[in-house]
Amino acid sequence: MILQPFDNGILRVLVPEGWKHFYGIDSDGKASPKKLHIYKDAQTELDIFSKAGITVIFYGKDEIYVPVKFLYDNVQDLEPFFCGNNLWNGYTCTSFGYPYTMLTAKAGDATFQVIILTQNGENKISLNDADVWAIIESIAESK
């Protein structure tokens, strides 16, 4: 598996070959370096609406991460696990019929939230996939 490093000065992550990354949008509708979409088989930003993928959100020491587990359906807790340098906590759930795996990890003063859209139409990924694991393992704050 070929992994391409990505570092925007806030987030550092490896993006597997065949995946593409795009900035997410903040609450003001502007591209945010603190929110990164990494989608399998994506070619353009519009593919986040039809492909399976991962969203990584960075919360710095002066930002508040608010868990929203209560907003989702079919919530099933996962056992905490180590991946990379982080202890990840999370759960699986559905939202508007789409299946997700939701993860969070504290790393020093930062919090990482990982949202994995595991199926979108015929497109599927899993937390157990080697490329998904490689992405999660590589998530770090830029130093």
Side-chain angles (χ1 to χ4, degrees):
M1 173 182 357
I2 299 173
L3 301 168
Q4 296 295 319
F6 173 81
D7 188 333
N8 67 6
I10 295 172
L11 279 168
R12 194 171 68 229
V13 65
L14 295 175
V15 179
E17 183 177 24
W19 294 63
K20 193 161 179 117
H21 67 280
F22 310 96
Y23 282 124
I25 305 299
D26 65 16
S27 58
D28 294 325
K30 297 178 183 167
S32 172
K34 294 182 177 187
K35 189 175 199 179
L36 187 65
H37 298 298
I38 307 168
Y39 273 67
K40 187 174 185 176
D41 299 324
Q43 301 301 314
T44 72
E45 291 182 40
L46 292 177
D47 285 336
I48 67 171
F49 299 109
S50 62
K51 305 288 184 182
I54 299 171
T55 299
V56 180
I57 305 171
F58 171 86
Y59 296 89
K61 68 178 181 176
D62 297 326
E63 297 170 299
I64 298 170
Y65 165 71
V66 179
V68 291
K69 184 176 177 178
F70 65 92
L71 293 175
Y72 301 108
D73 299 315
N74 306 309
V75 173
Q76 297 290 316
D77 289 324
L78 298 172
E79 289 292 322
F81 61 92
F82 280 97
C83 185
N85 293 323
N86 300 312
L87 174 63
W88 294 92
N89 291 284
Y91 54 93
T92 60
C93 63
T94 57
S95 180
F96 298 103
Y98 290 94
Y100 289 91
T101 299
M102 312 291 264
L103 304 172
T104 57
K106 293 283 292 174
D109 291 330
T111 299
F112 297 107
Q113 180 183 23
V114 173
I115 303 167
I116 306 170
L117 174 57
T118 57
Q119 183 173 353
N120 195 348
E122 299 296 315
N123 302 287
K124 296 179 184 181
I125 59 174
S126 166
L127 178 60
N128 297 319
D129 293 347
D131 44 2
V132 171
W133 195 259
I135 292 168
I136 295 167
E137 185 175 42
S138 72
I139 295 170
E141 181 176 4
S142 294
K143 298 287 182 188

